Amino acid sequence: MTESSRQPVAKRVPKPLAKPAKGATKKDKPPTRKKVAAEQERVRAIFARFAALNPHPEGELEYVNPFTLLVAVVLSAQATDIGVNRATRGLFACASTPQAMVALGEEGVREKIKTIGLFRAKAKNVVALSRKLIDEFGGEVPHAREALESLPGVGRKTANVVLNTAFGEKTIAVDTHLFRVSNRIPLARGTTPEAVERGLLAIVPDEYLLHAHHWLILHGRYICKARKPLCFACPIADLCQFPDKIACA
């Protein structure tokens, strides 16, 4: 074979490294002990300030016993506490027990709560849960999450409120205010209320856990508002890591 008849040998070119998928990020390194300790101290300081300013926070729904608390929380879905209180004053004046609520009936309950959104569906649930309390729980509000969540119109948040407020359990009831605040400060980040709840239960110091959700809900309702947070009036502004807080001042 002559020199001129030889075919050129193609050079092997290394393949370029694959580009990372859009939106992908490098895996975060585990935080150091120093960072973990600093974050724990920050969380403790946040709740210590809330406790100093409001040692005994309370929810803003009006009630007279565990049953009326349960009903008020069921009615509060997609409604303001002020609107619910306005309606339940008349309702609870004539029906503060499951027996009285069943006797009032759906039509009677509807008439009392017609100023609240979704009042027809809520009236149906209130009468149905009252009947179930009578039939299965001796007319008493059960002190167990599974039993509470078996009642018509009662979800995890409602069960947590009742367990915490009526029975003194250290639960976290995640509403829209708390969900926003926890992700914004941040305390516990999560894409679902239950994820935020689990995260907070893991990081809130035990001595603050009983009142934690009340503090966070009130903070979100009056200070850390959705559109225009009042960062200039925030008692934990120096502990908050929300990147836009200065712009909101």
Side-chain angles (χ1 to χ4, degrees):
M1 183 180 291
T2 65
E3 187 72 23
S4 59
S5 64
R6 291 177 182 171
Q7 296 295 324
V9 179
K11 294 182 179 180
R12 294 185 64 185
V13 179
K15 293 182 179 179
L17 296 175
K19 293 183 178 180
K22 190 176 182 180
T25 58
K26 292 181 180 179
K27 189 175 180 180
D28 293 333
K29 293 181 179 180
T32 63
R33 290 184 180 181
K34 186 176 180 179
K35 286 185 177 180
V36 170
E39 178 61 14
Q40 290 173 339
E41 186 58 33
R42 186 182 74 95
V43 172
R44 181 176 294 278
I46 286 171
F47 286 99
R49 289 191 194 177
F50 286 149
L53 290 169
N54 188 2
H56 304 288
E58 294 181 355
E60 296 183 322
L61 289 173
E62 297 174 3
Y63 64 97
V64 295
N65 55 33
F67 171 70
T68 54
L69 171 65
L70 173 63
V71 171
V73 181
V74 169
L75 296 179
S76 71
Q78 300 181 46
T80 66
D81 288 358
I82 293 174
V84 172
N85 290 338
R86 190 180 297 120
T88 56
R89 286 168 195 149
L91 175 65
F92 296 157
C94 61
S96 61
T97 65
Q99 294 82 357
M101 198 68 74
V102 169
L104 185 60
E106 279 188 46
E107 185 176 349
V109 174
R110 282 199 303 268
E111 185 62 26
K112 296 290 185 184
I113 66 168
K114 61 185 179 182
T115 57
I116 301 175
L118 307 175
F119 70 94
R120 290 183 177 85
K122 290 178 180 180
K124 182 177 181 179
N125 282 334
V126 166
V127 173
L129 74 83
S130 299
R131 187 173 288 112
K132 188 165 184 175
L133 287 175
I134 296 169
D135 294 343
E136 299 184 21
F137 301 102
E140 300 293 329
V141 175
H143 186 176
R145 179 187 303 281
E146 185 177 351
L148 284 167
E149 291 187 19
S150 75
L151 299 171
V154 177
R156 187 176 184 87
K157 187 199 81 171
T158 297
N160 278 335
V161 172
V162 173
L163 290 171
N164 178 275
T165 304
F167 301 118
E169 287 199 16
K170 295 177 179 179
T171 60
I172 301 285
V174 181
D175 73 347
T176 55
H177 297 296
L178 189 152
F179 184 81
R180 178 180 67 255
V181 169
S182 185
N183 276 286
R184 179 185 274 174
I185 291 176
L187 289 167
R189 284 194 173 105
T191 57
T192 66
E194 190 168 348
V196 169
E197 176 191 337
R198 290 196 305 268
L200 288 171
L201 288 171
I203 66 170
V204 176
D206 187 71
E207 63 266 35
Y208 299 122
L209 199 50
L210 179 63
H211 298 312
H213 85 267
H214 288 303
W215 285 318
L216 293 174
I217 288 170
L218 293 171
H219 186 66
R221 183 172 291 165
Y222 296 111
I223 300 293
C224 198
K225 299 179 180 182
R227 294 186 179 180
K228 293 184 178 180
L230 307 180
C231 300
F232 62 89
C234 178
I236 60 165
D238 59 313
L239 299 170
C240 174
Q241 297 172 352
F242 179 45
D244 297 328
K245 64 176 182 288
I246 295 176
C248 298

